[in-house]
Structure formats: C-alpha cells, structure tokens
C-alpha cells in the first residue's frame, strides 16, 4: 500500500530542545535547575547581558549537540561557529540571540518513522546550538494581557534547534516524528522532556505544493497534531473558496484549537546575522570519534536486539523501546529471571495500557522503580516496582492466579493509596486460583442445578455454555480460571 | 613634596616614607583643583582604601598606588556611565578582570574618567558629561575616546590610568596629551567587564607618564582570563624585564602610507626626528609599503559600527540604566534610546544596522571583513622584515574644541593611522616625541603580535635618551 497524500500535504518541523540535563547554562556557570526556583534567582551578569559581561561556551553543550547529531545520523562540523541574531524583545537581555547560522554543528541527518504506509524517512536539514531567552509571564491571556513580567532564569539555557525537511505528509506523521525524536533524545540522556518548556515546536505546512505557512511555538506533540489538522483544513478551505495562501507566521491557540495570523512575510524581521566576535571557533573534529564510541544503544538498535535476545514479538519490542525508562524497566524485570515473553506481554500490553488509560507517562527509572506523572496534571505521580512485576508474572506463570486476577492486581496497585506488593493484594482480595476439587465440585453443581441450560447446550446452543461457566465462576467467587472451567464443563457434558 | 606627576616607583618610595593616604590625598587635591573635566566620578572610597592599605601593610606591587579608570570598565559600586546618559546611574555589580587584578595588586581607584560616549569618538567631545579639555591648551581637545584617562595623567591628577582602544582610543589621546599609551595585542588583556563598542577590535590598555609605568601596569593586568574567550592563553610575559636601554641592531620599518596627505609638517618633522634619533642609538630603518592602508579606515568604521549596532541593542530601558516611560514596550524602548543616546552613538548604530541589513550585508560588512584580512596581511608582510614599525600616531596635534565635532567625516579621517592596527590586532604604543606649536606629538611604535617587550624596549630606550616625557603642561602645573 502506498500513501497517496491526496491533499499534497508537506510538513516540516523546527524543534527547540532545552538541554536541561546539563548542569550549567550555555555561556555562564548558572545552574539549569531553576524549574522550581523563584523568578530571576538563577542569573548572573552573563545571562542577564549586563554591559561588559562575556560569554564562555560550555563544552558540555557542544558534546551533547554532537551526540544528538550522531544519533540523527548527521554530519558533524569541524568547529563551532556562532552568529548573533539581532532583534529587540524584552525577554532577550542583550538584544540578540547567540545562535549558529551558516555552519551548524549538525547537518544532513535523518530519522526513520512509522509512516502512513510503513517505514518513512524524514530528512534532518540541520541541528544547531543556541541560547534560550528569558520568559515573559503575561498577566492574563496573551491577547488581553494588562502587563508582562520577565523571568530571566531561563535566559542562556542551552537549546538545540533541529530543522527537518518537509518530509511529513500528515499530522499523524508529524506526531510520530516528534515521539521518535523525543525518544532518541531521552536515550541520549541530554534532556528531560517532562520539564516545562523542554520542547517547543514550530510547524511549516503547505497543501497542493503551494505556499507554506509557519505555525509557531507549540508546546506539545498533541498540540502540533491538532494545529496541523486545523491549519490543513483552513488552507484547503481558503483554496476551495478561490482564495490564496499567503506566506505568514501563525500562532496556535491550544485552548481553542485554532491558528491565528501573526505577521506576513512583508513584516518579517531582518535579523542582521553576523559572526559573534566574543566567541572564538572551537575545534571539535577530534571530539566526534570519541563521542561516537560512548553513544548509547539507540531505539531502533534496542528494538532489534530485544527481538533477537528475548525472542519477543516486534510489536512488543517497539512498545518497550518507545521510552528508554520502559526499556530499562523491562530488562530489569528480565534480569530477575522472569520469562522475557511473559514480561513483554505483561509490561507492553497490560501495564502500558493501564498507564495510558490513566494518562500516566513514564518520567523516570532508577533501576528498581519506574516513575510516572500524569500528562495533564504533573502533580499526580505514580510508580511501579521491578520486584512487583517480577512477582506478579511468576505468580501468573506458576498458575497461582488467573490472568484476570493479575490484571486486577496491577490496577489495584496503580489505584491504591498505600504501597502494596502483588502478594498483599492477592491475599486481601482472595485472588488465588481455586483448588481443582473446588472447581470440579462447582462444575458438578452447575450441571445438576441447571438442567435447562445443559439441555440447550447439548441441543447446540453454544451460548448456554457461557451461562454455565458463569455459574462456576460465581460458585468459586471468581477464583476459578474461566478457561479451565469451560474445558471441564465441556469434558463433563460431551465426554 | 606632592605626589603629583611622580612615577610609580617614586610613589612607592613616598608611601614607604609617609603613607598611601598622603599620596591619595595629594591626587584628590589635584583633582579638586582640576580645570579639565577629566573625571566623571571621583570615588568616595579612595581615601578610605588608602588607609586600609596603610593599616594592613599590603604587599602587592601597586600597594597604595592610585589609578584612574576609564568609565567603560566595570568597577563594582562605582557608576559605569560610558560617557552616556543611558548609563549615568548604572552601577555594575561586578568588577572587570583588570579591576580584580588591580585590587589584588593593592591599587587605589581614584575614580572613573570621562570619555566619548560609548568610546565612539576621537575628541571626548561626545561625552554626555561635557568635553574633557587638553591640559596643554584648555581650548583644545585631549583626543579620544580615552580623553579623560590621558588628560588626568598629563595633568597630574593620576599617576597612570586604564583606557580602552578600539581604533586608537588610547593612542590618540596619549599623543594629544603628551603621555605614553599602549594598545596591547588583541587577546593579551581580558576584556571581561569592559563595555563593548566593537568587540573584535578593542583592548584595555595603560596610559602613563613614562614607559616604565606602562610595563608595571601591564604586569598587573595582562594574562589569560577564562571568562574572555578571546583572551589568549599565552605564557605570562614579564613586561618590566623588557625595559632595557638598548636598541642596537633594531630594524625599524617606516610605512610611507602613514605619512600621507594632510599630515601636519610639525608632526612629520617630529616623527622623522625620532626615527633618526633611534638610528643614532644603533637602530636601522627602511621604508616599507602597506598598500591596503587606504582602505583600512572604511573597513574599520563598517566593522566597528556593525558590531556596535548589536552591542548597544541591550540598552532598552527594560532592566537597568536610563528609561523613558512609554505606553507600550515598543514606545518605551524607542523613547529610551532616542533620549538616552547622543548623536554620534545614534549615527553609528544607524550606519551599523544599515551595513548588516539584508541586501547590504555582503556589499559592506562582508567586504569590510575581506579588507581587514588584506590589512592584516600587510602587517604580517611588513613585520616579517622589520622588528617594529614607526609612524605618527595622529596626523595632527590636538585640534580646538568644537572644530571638528560638526564634521564627523573629518573626525573619522583623523584616525587614519590608528585604526589599521586594531584591524590587524597587533600591539602599538604612542610615546611623546616632540612638540609642534607647543602641542605634544606622539610617535607610534607598532609591533608583532605579543611582542610588547620589543615595543617597550624601543620606547624605553627612546625615552631614556630624550626628555619629552618629563615636560609638564604649564597651564595646570
């Protein structure tokens, strides 16, 4: 099957990623750990742009950028070069941003995603380093704001801006690209995507090969998908009505799900780029091979290895490697002697499903516990322990509990107020599988007490068997294994 | 005997005999009687600091020695106005690297010296705080932009001073005021804490009444600083060790382009006399050609103004400094910059913005960079054959206050012999070499990158065998 792309949609993305796992800012020694701090407490003369203060490039930023470039299979520059991008804005303390212009640290990379019609390659035009401005805090909504406060804690945070080719053909592909891209960055351990402002996206989109429109500053993957869906519809309708798409920049109103025009090309700013005289080029060509050696196993390679090493299905391998923390959790469970296939089923199918149902996203893994936070409300947290998963799978495979009971254990642990082990939950709820003679007794009783159903079944009404199974379950208070009960009933009735 | 006009060595001796307090008091007294408007801010802490030095028995090389600092070099707790209304009340919360070094050495900061607004000018007339007057003739300018630093040294209001030199801003006023000034090699002295006018061109450097004090100050302020990425991690140079009265065998190049049209005959004569004097002291000279000199001025101004347009963007009234209220942020920033900057600063920001704009960037900025490379090559070539170059620092002696301020082009043209040095990044000194119509003339000695020792030795030898440096301006004596 080949995806036809009926509306000729072309989507390109620009993604700003904050390297918030590094210890210090891009050009000064200020800590990057400001997310819970009072405004304007993580600042110094350099990131406040006081007259006379000078930038010094943090080498760790360059190393992280090279790591990202290698993971994106890109070409790495021989040396660092920085330019000034000049514009006035109150969050920009020096009146210019330090960025890379015609010689980015990374060029010509690619990412393979699950496209509309199978594997689909998205080209990476470039990835470059730049510093983050401060943050404007509007009093009220952006349109009606009565005033603005400025917090420079964010000023000087290291960013990597990645620019893709317009290779995505649907909002879904854009979303998949972003999921994969974020996954890769988390594998590299250069950023924590759950922190506020960690990832900000601009999307370029055109239909029927026409003029492209840029939607700026979208803060979530879902937001990008929504903004693109709206923008494609808008563009198609403008054309349908005989109008023309103008090259412009639009703002995405996440609450209303619409894009709003901000400025047209005529109003586009001239950034007057020129080489930053305060930073000398830093030669990095000899760093790259060393960094390459220390590159961790990336999602695609891990997925292939999981299939090979653990003999699990590709679907499971893909799900398990979709987050580095989840992959590590899985391997943690396997290392304790758990059957890898069973572990894959219980983690990828059941646990992940239950987390999704509760809007929980995995945010950490410390070697023994996986931490989650609620996607919509970061104050809600949850966790699952390796040891519990190991015990649960063992209890199931040893035939001590039914699959239904195992699912209930997971749900109870996730929803419970207190921390409990699977064994505690099973004991409290009496979820142990019933003894065989108890089931045999229930089967016999169900047959003698339900003459009519027995006759119906023997007369060919298969549904009546379900009723009898239900009766057995009722008599055993749900501790019987439904499958076993069914088999025993059939054996008893049909010999 | 007052400490006024004493060398650093003499001051140290006086401190030993009496006290640092007495020395500082002598200078504060001279400043009080000043006729030249050299200081924007006189430090209230200077006397107290000198007493501390006395009581603590500081062992630093400049213990108790007073110094004046150009008002674009950050001193914690003192306003750093840059000669501008924009920063009139801006007090930096940190010290420049050179200030840290001076404090470590025990120096007593007398105050901050007047300058052309944001170091843009060659006459110190563009200061928001009024022009500095030349101690040799109070109707004349002291040169610029470090006019305050040069004038207070010449007038005996500080034994020595720090200035900054983007296109001649140390050498020009040194020449006009009859003092010694050194623009170090680009990267020799950390710029951390000096307010940028044109980052790729400028250096902080010393001004003093004699060559020895220049070396003393360089030994304190020069050296690598990790906070300035353009600071070069060279091995520490011993500048005072270079002070030898011996230039036998020294090869001098005389670039004919530096004696071009418009040079005053008095300046030309004084400079040639100096070259011949050096010849008599055992050096030899030959004419050299630096064919791209004539393009240097245009290249310099385009680069400097382009960088300035970006450097000065931060002064928007949002965080610190002057603010003119506005209905919106855009009107606030427009009004702030309209009221806070003077005409020359606005002119340079506008030209720089223009030169960097889309459609003009390649034609002006990029071309200027290419010329810069050619000018640099001129120096490499010339200095591969000779040890130093000698030329007039300024083609003319100090002009009258108001004479050129209405004609910016004429003012820019007077920088013709100083700006090529900044484009090339090489070190250069101006030393007093004579007088014309009672006004000092400066001899410019230009050297190879990081070869300040040869410059110092040449200047020292010349000084030991002449007496121009020991003459004092009669009007302020």
């Amino acid at each position: 099957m080949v995806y036809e792309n009926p509306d000729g949609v072309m989507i390109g993305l620009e993604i700003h990623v904050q390297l918030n796992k590094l210890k210090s800012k891009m050009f000064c020694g200020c800590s990057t750990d400001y997310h819970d701090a009072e405004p304007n407490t993580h600042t110094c003369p350099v990131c406040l742009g006081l007259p006379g203060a000078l930038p010094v490039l943090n080498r760790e930023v360059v190393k992280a950028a090279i790591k990202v470039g290698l993971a994106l299979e890109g070409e790495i520059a021989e040396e660092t070069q920085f330019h000034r991008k000049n514009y006035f804005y109150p969050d920009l303390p020096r009146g210019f941003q330090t960025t890379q212009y015609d010689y980015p640290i990374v060029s010509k990379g690619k990412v393979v995603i699950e496209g509309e019609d199978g594997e689909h390659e998205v080209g990476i035009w470039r990835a470059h380093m730049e510093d983050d401005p401060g943050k404007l805090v509007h009093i009220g909504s952006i349109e009606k704001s009565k005033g603005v406060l400025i917090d420079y804690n964010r000023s000087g945070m290291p960013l990597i801006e990645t620019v893709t080719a317009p290779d995505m053909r649907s909002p879904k592909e854009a979303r998949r690209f972003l999921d994969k891209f974020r996954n890769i960055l988390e594998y590299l351990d250069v950023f924590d995507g759950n922190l506020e402002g960690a990832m900000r996206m601009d999307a370029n989109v055109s239909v029927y090969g026409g003029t492209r429109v840029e939607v700026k500053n979208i803060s979530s993957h879902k937001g990008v998908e929504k903004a693109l869906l709206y923008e494609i519809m808008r563009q198609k309708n403008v054309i349908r009505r005989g109008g023309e798409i103008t090259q412009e920049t639009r703002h995405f109103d996440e609450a209303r799900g619409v894009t709003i025009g901000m400025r047209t090309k005529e109003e586009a700013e001239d950034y007057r780029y020129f080489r930053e005289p305060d930073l000398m080029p830093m030669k990095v060509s000899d760093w790259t091979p060393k960094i390459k050696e220390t590159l961790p196993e990336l999602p695609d390679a891990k997925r292939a290895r999981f299939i090979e090493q653990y003999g699990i299905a590709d679907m499971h391998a893909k799900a398990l490697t979709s987050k580095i923390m989840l992959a590590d959790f899985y391997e943690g469970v396997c290392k304790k002697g758990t059957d890898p296939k069973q572990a894959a089923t219980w983690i990828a199918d059941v646990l992940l499903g239950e987390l999704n149902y509760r809007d929980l996203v995995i945010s950490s893994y410390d070697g023994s516990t996986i931490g989650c936070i609620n996607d919509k409300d970061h104050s809600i947290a949850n966790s699952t322990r390796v040891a519990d998963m190991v015990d649960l799978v063992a209890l199931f495979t040893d035939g001590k509990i039914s699959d239904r009971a195992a699912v209930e254990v997971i749900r109870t642990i996730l929803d419970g107020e207190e921390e409990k082990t699977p064994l505690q939950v099973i004991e409290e709820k009496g979820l142990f599988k019933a003894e065989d003679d108890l089931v045999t007794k229930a089967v016999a009783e169900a047959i003698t007490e339900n003459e009519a159903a027995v006759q119906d079944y023997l007369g060919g009404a298969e549904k009546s068997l379900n009723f009898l199974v239900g009766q057995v379950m009722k008599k055993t208070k749900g501790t019987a294994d439904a499958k076993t009960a069914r088999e025993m009933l059939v054996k008893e009735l049909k010999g | 005997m007052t400490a006024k006009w004493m060398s650093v060595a003499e001051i140290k001796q006086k401190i030993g005999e009496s006290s640092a307090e007495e020395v500082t008091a002598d200078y504060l007294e001279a400043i009080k009687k000043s006729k030249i408007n050299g200081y924007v801010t006189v430090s209230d802490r200077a006397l107290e600091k000198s007493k501390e030095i006395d009581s603590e028995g500081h062992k630093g090389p400049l213990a108790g020695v007073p110094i004046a600092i150009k008002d674009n070099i950050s001193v914690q707790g003192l306003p750093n106005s840059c000669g501008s209304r924009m920063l009139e009340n801006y007090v930096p919360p940190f010290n420049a690297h050179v200030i840290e070094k001076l404090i470590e050495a025990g120096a007593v900061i007398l105050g901050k010296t007047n300058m052309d607004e944001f170091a843009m000018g060659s006459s110190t007339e563009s200061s928001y705080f009024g022009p500095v007057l030349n101690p040799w003739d109070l109707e004349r300018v002291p040169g610029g932009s470090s006019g305050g630093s040069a004038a207070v040294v010449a007038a005996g209001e500080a034994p020595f001073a720090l200035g900054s030199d983007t296109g001649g801003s140390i050498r020009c006023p040194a020449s006009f005021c009859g003092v010694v000034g050194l623009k170090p090699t680009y990267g020799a002295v950390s710029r951390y804490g000096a307010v940028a006018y044109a980052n790729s061109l400028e250096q902080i450097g010393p001004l003093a009444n004699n060559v020895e004090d220049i070396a003393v100050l360089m030994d304190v302020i020069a050296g690598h600083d990790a906070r300035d990425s353009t600071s070069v991690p060279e091995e520490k140079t011993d500048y005072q060790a270079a002070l030898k009265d011996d230039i036998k065998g020294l090869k001098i190049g005389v670039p004919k382009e530096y004696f071009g049209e418009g040079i005053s005959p008095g300046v030309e004569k004084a400079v040639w006399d100096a070259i011949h004097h050096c010849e008599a002291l055992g050096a030899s000279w030959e004419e050299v050609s630096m064919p791209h000199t004539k393009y240097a001025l245009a290249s310099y101004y385009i680069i400097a103004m382009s960088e300035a347009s970006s450097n000065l963007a931060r002064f928007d009234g949002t965080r610190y400094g002057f603010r003119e209220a506005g209905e919106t942020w855009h009107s606030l920033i427009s009004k702030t910059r309209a009221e806070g900057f003077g005409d020359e600063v606005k002119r340079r920001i506008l030209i720089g913005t223009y030169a960097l704009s889309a459609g003009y960037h390649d034609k002006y900025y990029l071309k200027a960079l290419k010329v810069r490379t050619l000018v640099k090559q001129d120096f490499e070539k010339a200095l591969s054959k000779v040890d130093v170059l000698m030329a007039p620092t300024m083609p003319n002696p100090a002009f009258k206050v108001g004479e050129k301020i209405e004609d910016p082009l004429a003012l820019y043209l007077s920088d013709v012999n100083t700006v090529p040095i900044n484009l090339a990044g090489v070190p250069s000194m101006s030393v007093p070499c004579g007088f014309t119509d009672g006004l000092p003339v400066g001899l410019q000695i230009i050297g190879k990158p990081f070869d300040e020792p040869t410059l110092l030795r040449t200047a020292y030898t010349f000084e030991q065998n002449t007496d121009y440096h020991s003459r004092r301006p009669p009007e302020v004596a």
Side-chain angles (χ1 to χ4, degrees):
Chain A
M1 183 196 78
V2 174
Y3 180 61
E4 298 284 352
N5 194 7
D7 302 320
V9 171
M10 286 172 80
I11 298 167
L13 297 170
E14 285 179 32
I15 309 137
H16 292 84
V17 169
Q18 214 181 48
L19 299 174
N20 52 24
K21 279 219 169 175
L22 299 183
K23 286 194 179 69
S24 49
K25 289 188 183 179
M26 189 153 173
F27 298 118
C28 62
C30 285
S31 157
T32 58
D33 186 19
Y34 65 82
H35 287 85
D36 296 321
E38 290 285 304
N40 297 308
T41 52
H42 285 48
T43 58
C44 72
V46 176
C47 59
L48 283 177
L50 293 188
L54 294 171
V56 177
L57 179 59
N58 177 354
R59 285 162 180 261
E60 296 307 315
V61 174
V62 185
K63 286 181 191 164
I66 293 174
K67 252 174 145 178
V68 171
L70 291 169
L72 299 177
E73 297 177 53
E75 290 173 12
I76 310 299
E78 297 275 307
E79 60 174 31
T80 63
Q81 276 185 17
F82 286 94
H83 273 67
R84 289 184 181 184
K85 180 182 179 179
N86 296 284
Y87 64 97
F88 290 106
Y89 210 66
D91 65 6
L92 200 62
R94 294 172 300 168
F96 59 83
Q97 185 183 26
T98 307
T99 182
Q100 295 196 286
Y101 186 53
D102 49 5
Y103 195 58
I105 187 82
V106 179
S107 53
K108 293 180 200 151
K110 64 169 198 254
V111 171
V112 177
I113 61 162
E114 207 81 38
E116 294 282 357
D117 48 1
E119 280 199 352
H120 182 70
E121 191 176 299
V122 176
I124 302 291
W125 274 345
R126 57 184 286 157
H128 67 252
M129 301 173 277
E130 61 185 28
D131 62 343
D132 214 347
K135 203 177 104 182
L136 297 186
V137 184
H138 294 269
I139 307 170
S141 80
I142 191 164
E143 285 162 321
K144 294 174 187 164
S145 181
K146 289 238 179 343
V148 170
L149 303 168
I150 318 175
D151 178 5
Y152 291 103
N153 278 352
R154 197 177 76 177
S155 174
M157 280 295 285
L159 294 179
I160 289 182
E161 178 178 341
T162 305
V163 182
T164 77
D167 288 346
M168 286 149 282
R169 302 162 297 177
S170 68
K172 191 165 89 185
E173 285 193 345
R175 169 92 189 262
R176 293 222 173 121
F177 173 83
L178 289 169
D179 289 344
K180 177 95 182 246
F181 182 71
R182 173 171 165 167
N183 188 26
I184 291 171
L185 291 175
E186 285 180 345
Y187 268 65
L188 298 173
D189 202 26
V190 292
F191 105 125
D192 177 352
N194 295 310
L195 290 176
E196 194 240 322
M199 212 168 156
R200 282 163 280 156
M201 290 139 286
D202 304 336
N204 291 296
V205 59
S206 64
V207 294
Y208 313 125
T211 310
R212 70 187 173 93
V213 167
E214 187 175 32
V215 187
K216 270 209 167 309
N217 246 320
I218 317 172
S219 57
S220 72
H221 300 193
K222 276 180 203 159
V224 169
E225 195 175 9
K226 271 166 73 182
L228 285 169
L229 283 169
Y230 178 84
E231 183 55 24
I232 290 166
M233 183 180 74
R234 189 192 69 84
Q235 289 186 21
K236 276 163 65 183
N237 275 295
V238 169
I239 292 164
R240 187 182 56 78
R241 295 192 301 264
E244 247 180 77
I245 304 297
T246 46
Q247 193 175 333
E248 61 174 338
T249 301
R250 297 179 72 86
H251 162 74
F252 177 55
D253 186 325
E254 197 136 15
R256 289 187 281 163
V258 298
T259 63
I260 305 155
M262 282 168 70
R263 58 172 184 266
T264 60
K265 194 196 174 189
E266 288 72 45
E267 300 164 87
E269 289 197 59
D270 176 0
Y271 291 118
R272 309 189 318 274
Y273 285 97
F274 73 101
R275 281 279 284 275
E276 167 56 88
D278 285 333
L279 292 166
M280 294 278 115
M282 191 184 275
K283 207 165 154 49
V284 295
S285 45
D286 51 336
W287 297 10
T288 305
K290 281 178 213 150
I291 294 172
K292 200 166 193 169
E293 278 171 32
T294 64
L295 218 56
E297 184 182 42
L298 292 168
D300 288 346
K302 203 180 277 285
R303 180 171 159 187
R305 175 170 68 79
F306 277 16
I307 296 168
E308 169 86 23
Q309 185 178 342
Y310 300 117
I312 60 174
D314 182 46
M315 184 188 70
H316 283 160
K318 192 185 142 200
L320 291 170
T321 56
S322 67
K323 278 252 168 199
I324 181 73
M325 291 82 101
L326 186 66
D328 290 346
F329 177 72
Y330 170 71
E331 294 210 276
V333 172
C334 291
K335 263 193 208 119
K336 300 276 180 191
T338 307
D339 173 49
K341 284 184 193 161
Q342 285 293 340
T345 305
W346 284 99
I347 295 170
D349 292 345
V350 184
L351 179 65
L352 216 49
E354 295 297 330
L355 293 179
N356 282 340
Y357 176 72
R358 288 165 180 75
D359 284 321
L360 290 169
V361 293
I362 295 163
S363 58
S364 66
Y365 175 63
D366 64 1
S368 65
T369 306
I370 199 163
C372 306
I373 50 168
N374 188 291
D375 205 14
K376 289 172 182 147
D377 180 357
H378 283 192
S379 66
I380 302 173
N382 216 313
S383 64
T384 303
R385 286 175 293 210
V386 168
D388 292 350
M389 192 48 79
V390 170
D391 291 350
L392 186 74
V393 176
L395 286 160
F396 171 74
T397 51
D398 292 351
K400 299 264 172 60
I401 53 170
S402 67
D403 51 354
R404 243 181 57 191
V407 171
E408 198 177 334
V409 169
I410 289 178
R411 288 179 181 160
T412 308
I413 290 177
L414 285 176
D415 295 335
E417 295 274 305
E418 300 164 49
E419 271 197 12
K420 279 178 184 155
T421 63
L423 211 57
Q424 282 172 317
V425 174
I426 292 164
E427 277 168 356
E428 278 171 27
K429 297 207 153 192
L431 293 175
F432 274 118
K433 230 190 235 179
E435 297 298 326
D436 280 359
D437 53 347
L438 193 75
V439 182
T440 312
K441 192 172 156 243
V443 165
E445 280 175 18
I447 290 171
T448 52
E449 286 167 16
N450 297 286
E451 187 68 25
V454 171
Q455 288 310 319
D456 286 352
Y457 172 68
L458 292 173
E462 283 287 326
K463 267 201 256 170
S464 297
L465 184 61
N466 291 344
F467 172 76
L468 293 170
V469 172
Q471 292 303 305
V472 175
M473 297 309 284
K474 206 169 159 188
K475 286 177 185 297
T476 58
K477 287 174 184 134
T479 57
D481 185 60
K483 207 175 145 210
T484 317
R486 175 178 287 265
E487 281 165 8
M488 286 170 76
L489 278 164
V490 171
K491 202 176 155 201
E492 201 66 27
L493 293 171
K494 290 196 166 173
Chain B
M1 193 179 127
T2 165
K4 193 173 174 176
W5 282 310
M6 278 186 173
S7 71
V8 169
E10 289 161 350
I11 286 172
K12 284 164 85 170
Q13 197 184 338
K14 181 174 158 111
I15 291 170
E17 287 159 6
S18 60
S19 69
E21 184 186 350
E22 202 179 310
V23 167
T24 297
D26 283 351
Y27 279 99
L28 290 174
E29 186 60 28
I31 294 168
K32 205 179 272 177
K33 291 180 190 155
S34 177
K35 300 171 188 167
I36 58 167
N37 194 28
Y39 284 91
V40 174
T41 301
V42 178
S43 173
D44 265 350
R45 300 178 310 197
L47 205 60
E48 196 185 322
K49 177 77 192 167
S50 67
K51 286 182 199 168
E52 260 174 51
I53 299 278
D54 284 332
S55 62
E56 284 167 14
H58 201 289
K59 292 280 177 289
L62 297 180
V65 181
I67 187 165
I69 309 294
K70 189 178 182 179
D71 210 11
N72 63 349
I73 300 170
S74 305
V75 178
Q76 200 174 344
L78 291 183
N80 200 37
S81 78
C82 296
S84 180
R85 184 182 188 191
M86 188 64 90
L87 294 179
E88 184 179 2
N89 294 308
Y90 165 71
V91 180
F94 65 104
N95 280 321
H97 175 79
V98 291
I99 299 301
E100 282 178 2
K101 290 283 157 193
L102 284 172
I103 291 171
E104 227 174 86
V108 174
I109 292 163
L110 291 170
K112 305 294 294 290
T113 57
N114 205 349
M115 57 186 277
D116 277 300
E117 184 174 6
F118 285 104
M120 297 175 181
S122 318
S123 67
T124 317
E125 291 168 280
S126 72
S127 169
Y128 175 64
F129 305 98
V132 178
L133 306 179
N134 191 318
W136 290 89
D137 178 347
L138 298 178
E139 285 181 6
R140 288 178 190 267
V141 302
S145 66
S146 311
S149 286
V152 300
V153 170
E157 295 174 23
F160 53 9
L162 286 184
S164 70
D165 189 316
T166 310
S169 283
I170 288 174
R171 291 158 290 153
C172 161
S175 165
F176 281 8
C177 294
V179 300
V180 189
L182 166 67
K183 182 209 86 78
T185 310
Y186 189 78
V189 178
S190 168
R191 291 181 294 115
Y192 188 82
V195 179
Y197 155 30
N199 334 42
S200 77
L201 298 160
E202 60 212 11
Q203 276 288 289
I204 293 172
L207 295 111
N209 275 313
N210 59 74
V211 176
E212 184 180 336
D213 291 354
I214 295 281
V216 168
L217 201 41
M218 280 300 282
D219 275 328
V220 172
I221 63 168
H224 181 62
D225 173 22
R227 291 171 301 184
D228 175 0
S229 307
T230 64
S231 150
V232 177
E234 288 280 308
E235 267 181 50
K236 190 104 179 110
T237 306
D238 186 347
Y239 295 95
Q240 286 175 78
L243 300 171
K244 292 191 186 96
D245 182 359
D246 177 14
I247 51 166
K248 280 182 210 70
L250 183 84
K251 283 193 236 162
I252 300 165
V254 183
K256 58 177 186 221
E257 291 82 2
Y258 283 64
F259 295 77
E261 223 178 297
I263 187 171
S264 115
V267 168
E268 191 169 12
K269 184 181 180 299
V271 170
W272 272 115
D273 284 353
I275 293 166
H276 290 132
H277 199 140
C278 289
E279 192 180 15
L281 293 167
S284 63
W285 67 269
E286 61 179 287
E287 200 174 86
V288 294
S289 176
M290 305 183 75
H292 298 99
T293 305
K294 58 176 175 287
Y295 306 114
L297 201 71
S299 164
Y300 166 81
Y301 273 104
I302 288 170
I303 293 170
M305 291 177 185
S306 297
E307 290 181 14
S309 73
S310 174
N311 289 329
L312 272 63
R314 71 189 66 198
F315 305 115
D316 57 13
T318 304
R319 291 159 299 275
Y320 50 81
F322 177 75
R323 175 194 286 204
E324 187 69 53
E327 282 296 299
T328 62
W329 185 72
H330 279 100
S331 78
L332 177 150
I333 177 175
S334 300
K335 285 184 187 171
T336 297
R337 290 168 70 81
E339 299 293 316
F341 287 140
D343 287 348
E344 185 57 30
V345 171
K346 283 186 213 165
R347 180 181 294 120
R348 295 195 190 196
I349 290 173
L350 285 171
I351 297 174
T353 304
Y354 181 84
L356 285 174
S357 295
Y360 302 101
H361 180 278
D362 292 5
K363 210 160 123 191
Y364 294 110
Y365 183 69
L366 221 59
K367 193 144 201 176
L369 290 184
K370 285 177 187 162
V371 170
R372 181 176 191 173
T373 304
L374 294 173
V375 169
K376 208 170 172 175
Q377 284 167 359
D378 274 0
F379 278 94
E380 280 162 13
K381 216 173 132 199
L383 287 164
S384 69
K385 290 184 287 188
V386 297
D387 301 312
V388 296
L389 301 169
M390 283 187 183
T393 307
M394 299 301 288
N396 292 290
F399 45 87
K400 291 224 161 116
V401 174
E403 190 182 323
K404 290 188 181 180
I405 194 69
E406 297 304 327
D407 186 358
L409 206 60
L411 209 52
Y412 298 169
L413 282 170
S414 65
D415 298 340
V416 64
N417 283 2
T418 50
V419 297
I421 283 82
N422 299 76
L423 288 174
V426 294
S428 174
M429 278 181 93
S430 183
V431 288
C433 72
F435 291 83
T436 174
D437 298 327
L439 296 168
V441 176
L443 165 71
Q444 186 170 213
I445 311 173
I446 306 153
K448 295 170 192 169
F450 297 100
D451 197 16
E452 279 85 349
T454 301
L455 291 193
L456 288 166
R457 177 164 59 89
T458 308
Y460 183 76
T461 305
F462 181 74
E463 187 186 81
Q464 292 303 302
N465 294 281
T466 54
D467 71 343
Y468 307 116
H469 68 286
S470 53
R471 298 202 201 160
R472 302 296 169 221
E475 293 204 46
V476 296

